[in-house]
Structure formats: C-alpha cells, structure tokens
Amino acid sequence: MKRRRLKKYISRVLKLYLFYNLVSAILLFAIQKPSSGGLSADDYLMAEKLHDRVALIETGEEGARVRLDLAEAAQTSIDISYYTVTNGKFTEAFLSCLLGAADRGVRVRILFDGLTRIAYERKDLRDAVRGFETHPNIEVRYYEKFNILTPWAWHTRLHEKTIIVDGKLALIGGRNIGDKYFIKDEYQSRFVNDRDALIYHEGPEASVIGDMQRYFDLLWEYKRTKPHRKKITSRQIERAKFTNSAIRNHYKMLKSKHPELFQKTDWNAKTYPAEAVQFVHNPLGRLNNEPWSLRKLLSLTSQARSSVFLQSPYIIPSRRMRNEIKGYGIQWEKLTILTNSKQSSPNVLAMAAYLNHRKGIVDRVAALHEYQGPDSIHGKSYIFDDSISVIGTVNLDARSSYIDTESIIIITSKEFASDLRDKIQIPLDNSVVVQDDNTYGGAAKEMKTPRLFSKIVGLFDFLL
C-alpha cells in the first residue's frame, strides 16, 4: 500500500514537473516580448574604428594554425569564449599552447557555455580543464550553468567563438574548438566548413578589439557566469598536477616535432588595412532579448545599393523575425543566399523547419543556392555591395536573433569583400539553385523530408 502511494506521488510530481517545463521552457518563449537586458543600444552598438587591420581565415588548416599562433604570440593576456570544445588532436594542441602561455606568465581567461560542457567535456578534456583551474594564471568560468529548476534558462546559450590576445589581436567567426572544424582529411563528409576574421591593431588609436574586450568582460562578470567549483580539494590539486604535467609534455613534443608551428608570425604582413571595422553584439539575459545583431544585418541589407550576398547554415525566419524584417523595406531581388541542403546539413530539426519557408524565400530573392556536400557549411557571412562584409556567430534563426549571446564584426574593405567572395565561390560551385517550383529542376537528387514532420517542427521555430 505504501509503495503504491509512493509511486502515485512520484507520478504526480513528475507530471507537474513536465507541465512546469512545458510552460517555462517552451510556451514562455512564444509569448514573452524581447527585452534589452538592462542595456541601451550604445552598450552594444559600437562606433566604427578606422585603424584596424584584417585578414580572412578560410580553411580548416588556416584556422588551426592561426589559433596556435595567437596563443604563442601572447605576452600578457588571452581571453577565450567558446560555445563547444570537444576532444581531439587539435584541441589537445591548442590547450597545450594555452598552458604554455600561462606557464610563461600570460593571464588566461576561458569562458565556456554552461550547458554544452555537460555533453562535450568528456574524460581527457574534462581532466585538462580541471587541471587548468588549479593554475595561478588560468581562470575558467561557465555562462549559465545547467540548473534543473530553471528550464527557461536552458535555451540561453553562450554562442561566442572569440579569442582576444594582448588587446592587439582578435579572432571571431563560426568555428568551435574541435577536429571536425580543422582536420578535413580525417573527417571527410563530417567536416564542417567555416571561416574566421582576424583583426590586428598596433598603435594608440581606438581599436575594435577594445570593444570586443569590453564585451568579453561583460560576459565574464555577468551575474550568471560562474566557476565550475568554488573550492578545489587537495586530492583534486594532486590529480591536476599529473594532468598538467602530461599537457606540458605534449607541448614540448609539439615544439620538438613540429617547429614550423612555432615560428614567429608577422601580423602586419598577414593582414591589410580596413577602411572601418565595427563590432555588434546581442544583449545579455534570459528568455527573448532585443535582436540587435539581426537589426544591424537588416539595416545593412536595406541600405545596400546593388547587391547582398548572405551565407547561413540555417535559415528559419520565425514569425517574430518576419515581423521585424517588415520594418526595413528590403528589396529582395538584390539578395543571393547560400545555405545547406538536406543532404549536407547535420541538423535535421533546423532543416525541417527551413523547408517550411523555402518556397517563400525562392519567390522573393534573386537566387537561393543549397550546398550539396558531402560535408557541410557552417559559416555565417554577409557581403553588401562588394564592399562591406560581416563575419560572426549569427545564424538566420530565432535562437541567434533573440535567445543566445551572439556577436558580429562588420568590415568595410573592398579587398576583404573580394577575398570573401572568392572563397565563397568554392561552396557555390558545389551548390544547386532552387527553382521557382521549389525543386532542383532535375539538376540533382534531393532527399525527402516528411511534410508533416516539417510542420510539427515548424511549430517550435521560435526556439530553433
């Protein structure tokens, strides 16, 4: 009798909790109006800076090399914020360079997302991060750590992918830290094509890197950014000594076997001057926030005189996004779009939701290209009038617009725009244009997605 009553009690509690989740983790996002997170537009719409140098980092090999170069170049500080970090060869090399920097006196601050760490911080990586936490020059924090009692916070993710070094160098783009972004030969069809923008500044003038630094500090000091643990036990310290020693040995091995990876970089020669560079980021806060990054992109699109090219791995214009777009008087015939196809994208839910909007997009824009794989595209890139380029973390979906932390860099430079357009031509050459009848017109085979599945997923596009 007691056991039966206990089961009934547990069942009721679980049902109440599920209802609580339904309301606070799903329905609340559908009805709550966006807020500014207590900030004004001046806090995250930074002024253009006129004295920065830039470079496009396109291939996975280039992306890996520049990250190692940045760690090796650091003299005083390294600030890192990443959405996901996964075990692998490059991750091991990158972490060893960070520890090497800390050992020579560089202050290293590492900011991770508080939810994705649960999925990706497995044994070797977890041990490495815990070892870092015992180093006097390294501090690790997590943005919005998982809490079973706050389902509305589960969606609020740190979507940043940024490195800032010495206040003189910065890297921003769509790549997370993991081998599938850097080692194409090993990952083949699972490889993720992405890109970064490198910014370099040396001199007394104001730099966009200062704006990026202030944003990192805002994230770092945010009231819901916390360390993994407040106290470290003596046993954990002893284990960390062993882990850090292994990482140091790996660092020594890399320097011995691959000295070419540790040559001093001429950052001036690697970059070229931009006419102007601007940094924009979303507000911080839970639930829906004002879409400042999206609004900047829409403003640039509405101001374009002749052409707009955009690339996004996912295009899911929710109802709230569509209402926002209406206010900008966009001339759709100027737009050319590149996104994943169903066969190239690893994100089944995102592609199912996208299919609900594909015909409407085709009817409006000049051309909609879908990348055919076998790998996928993950870059978030925009070109306006062949002179203004945008690189960053913002996907064209509700999550990037209203929920996650996001940031973009806006570069006014015909040279950078030309370089970016040339690099984008490679996936464009491996794409198919969607025809007016919403098919490939026989140009390629197309995977089928059940229409009912797309419609069901589309009901939740305000969270995708």
Side-chain angles (χ1 to χ4, degrees), residues 5 12 44 57 84 88 93 100 124 286 309 384 399 409:
R5 288 174 62 186
R12 286 177 179 174
Y44 35 84
I57 307 299
T84 65
D124 292 343
R286 291 173 170 175
F309 182 92
F384 304 92
R399 175 166 291 281
I409 205 84

Side-chain angles (χ1 to χ4, degrees), residues 280-316:
V280 177
H281 68 81
N282 281 354
L284 306 188
R286 291 173 170 175
L287 300 175
N288 293 309
N289 290 295
E290 295 287 343
W292 287 106
S293 295
L294 174 66
R295 286 175 180 169
K296 183 62 181 179
L297 293 173
L298 293 175
S299 176
L300 289 168
T301 302
S302 66
Q303 294 168 17
R305 295 183 300 275
S306 59
S307 65
V308 177
F309 182 92
L310 66 88
Q311 176 188 327
S312 176
Y314 327 116
I315 302 177
I316 313 170

Side-chain angles (χ1 to χ4, degrees), residues 423-438:
K423 297 300 190 297
I424 286 175
Q425 191 61 46
I426 297 172
L428 268 178
D429 289 341
N430 189 29
S431 70
V432 173
V433 176
V434 182
Q435 302 299 310
D436 290 342
D437 61 357
N438 204 27

Side-chain angles (χ1 to χ4, degrees), residues 70-79 98 100-109 136-138 164-169 209 213:
L70 287 169
E72 285 298 294
Q75 297 178 7
T76 60
S77 66
I78 303 175
D79 289 330
L98 292 179
D103 283 345
R104 63 177 185 265
V106 176
R107 182 203 65 181
V108 179
R109 296 190 294 177
N137 291 330
I138 302 179
I164 306 169
V165 173
D166 295 342
K168 299 193 303 183
L169 289 157
I209 298 173
Q213 184 70 67

Side-chain angles (χ1 to χ4, degrees), residues 24 49 199 272 326 387:
S24 60
K49 303 303 186 295
I199 306 103
Y272 43 83
K326 287 178 182 177
S387 60

Side-chain angles (χ1 to χ4, degrees), residues 5-137:
R5 288 174 62 186
L6 180 61
K7 286 184 177 178
K8 186 178 290 187
Y9 176 76
I10 292 173
S11 176
R12 286 177 179 174
V13 170
L14 287 175
K15 288 177 181 177
L16 283 172
Y17 182 67
L18 289 175
F19 179 74
Y20 173 63
N21 282 346
L22 175 65
V23 173
S24 60
I26 299 177
L27 298 181
L28 193 57
F29 284 85
I31 60 177
Q32 181 258 338
K33 293 183 179 180
S35 70
S36 65
L39 301 175
S40 68
D42 292 338
D43 290 312
Y44 35 84
L45 287 171
M46 314 297 184
E48 290 184 328
K49 303 303 186 295
L50 308 178
H51 302 282
D52 292 310
R53 301 176 65 86
V54 297
L56 180 65
I57 307 299
E58 180 70 14
T59 68
E61 183 179 352
E62 291 173 334
R65 180 61 184 270
V66 76
R67 283 164 172 80
L68 299 183
D69 288 346
L70 287 169
E72 285 298 294
Q75 297 178 7
T76 60
S77 66
I78 303 175
D79 289 330
I80 297 171
S81 53
Y82 271 96
Y83 177 55
T84 65
V85 179
T86 55
N87 283 319
K89 294 178 181 177
F90 172 74
T91 304
E92 189 175 11
F94 185 56
L95 293 178
S96 72
C97 288
L98 292 179
L99 184 59
D103 283 345
R104 63 177 185 265
V106 176
R107 182 203 65 181
V108 179
R109 296 190 294 177
I110 303 173
L111 181 59
F112 291 142
D113 179 69
L115 182 63
T116 57
R117 76 171 184 86
I118 298 173
Y120 295 110
E121 269 191 20
R122 295 171 186 166
K123 190 179 184 311
D124 292 343
L125 177 58
R126 182 177 62 246
D127 289 347
V129 173
R130 300 298 163 258
F132 277 16
E133 290 175 334
T134 67
H135 196 290
N137 291 330

Side-chain angles (χ1 to χ4, degrees), residues 239-301:
R239 183 172 181 176
K241 288 180 180 178
F242 175 80
T243 302
N244 287 344
S245 177
I247 296 174
R248 289 186 179 100
N249 288 336
H250 185 72
Y251 183 56
K252 291 176 183 177
M253 181 276 294
L254 282 176
K255 296 191 80 169
S256 174
K257 287 190 174 182
H258 302 283
E260 72 279 2
L261 296 177
F262 298 90
Q263 302 297 316
K264 187 174 181 180
T265 303
D266 185 341
W267 299 104
N268 197 68
K270 192 178 185 69
T271 57
Y272 43 83
E275 294 177 36
V277 185
Q278 185 181 19
F279 179 68
V280 177
H281 68 81
N282 281 354
L284 306 188
R286 291 173 170 175
L287 300 175
N288 293 309
N289 290 295
E290 295 287 343
W292 287 106
S293 295
L294 174 66
R295 286 175 180 169
K296 183 62 181 179
L297 293 173
L298 293 175
S299 176
L300 289 168
T301 302

